[in-house]
Structure formats: C-alpha cells, structure tokens
Amino acid sequence: MELTTQKAQQIVEAAIKKSKELDVKMNIAVVDAGANLKSFVRMDGAWLGSADIAIKKAKTARYFDMNTGEIGKLSQPGGSLFNIEHSNDGLITFPGGVLIKDGNEIIGAIGISGSSVENDHEVATYASNA
C-alpha cells in the first residue's frame, strides 16, 4: 500500500489533535516509504528550529525501519550504532520518529518535534496509529 496524500494529511491532523490535548506546539513531518517528504505542518508558535528536527526524525525512522528512540539506545558510546547520527547528512536519534505501517508493511514514518522527547514520541505514536 502507498501512503497517499489524503492518509498523510489524516496523520498530520491526528498529530495536531494530540498536540492540542497536550497543550504543545509541534512541527509535524510525514514521509513516504522512500523517505520523501509527503506532508509537513508547523503549528502556530512552534519552534522554528524544530522543523528540521521533525523532518530528520521521520527520515531517520524510515531509513532504519525503527523508531528513533530505539536507534538512540543503540547509538550511545559503546553501542553498535555509535556516531550513526553523523551519517546521511545528519540523523536524529532521540524519540519522536515513528514508523507508519499498514499491517506489517512499512509505508512511511512521522517525525514530531517541539516539546519534550516524551511528548514528541507520544504525539508521533498516536498519529501513526490514526
């Protein structure tokens, strides 16, 4: 299955809904299976610097087919992926990037940035299940 524009927009809307529930302002990026940007929203008042982080979180999750928080665990000093964040023109290896699946098939990823990594991950997880 392909991640359509309509589905990407539904995911963004779910992320906005959850962000409002948490009273946070987020940057929301959705990429397709090829890690190409499919949809992006910077909520009013969201940190400008987090726009790039949200996009990189989504791409990082898709590049390695795992949530960014999991990559972060593996990229600590002594870990099997130590320094991986320096590859691919920069990766983000802390929570907030989550895969989007249709059943077992990965069809894209979402990246959220603009609050604590806990809130970023919560919004991304909620939206990816939308």
Side-chain angles (χ1 to χ4, degrees), residues 21-37:
E21 287 175 13
L22 296 173
D23 195 27
V24 292
K25 298 169 182 153
M26 299 292 200
N27 288 273
I28 304 158
V30 176
V31 298
D32 63 17
N36 301 297
L37 188 61

Side-chain angles (χ1 to χ4, degrees), residues 22-116:
L22 296 173
D23 195 27
V24 292
K25 298 169 182 153
M26 299 292 200
N27 288 273
I28 304 158
V30 176
V31 298
D32 63 17
N36 301 297
L37 188 61
K38 192 75 175 182
S39 186
F40 177 83
V41 168
R42 180 175 159 258
M43 293 175 66
D44 294 340
W47 293 331
L48 183 58
S50 289
D52 182 59
I53 294 170
I55 294 167
K56 285 183 177 173
K57 282 182 181 183
K59 287 183 174 187
T60 299
R62 180 58 186 117
Y63 285 162
F64 297 98
D65 291 341
M66 67 178 86
N67 294 346
T68 54
E70 294 304 309
I71 296 169
K73 292 175 188 174
L74 299 171
S75 66
Q76 297 303 306
S80 60
L81 298 179
F82 182 59
N83 276 333
I84 195 169
E85 64 274 6
H86 301 291
S87 69
N88 296 287
D89 293 321
L91 302 175
I92 301 296
T93 59
F94 47 85
V98 174
L99 294 172
I100 300 169
K101 295 182 177 183
D102 181 22
N104 290 326
E105 181 185 0
I106 297 168
I107 60 171
I110 183 169
I112 302 290
S113 184
S115 184
S116 67

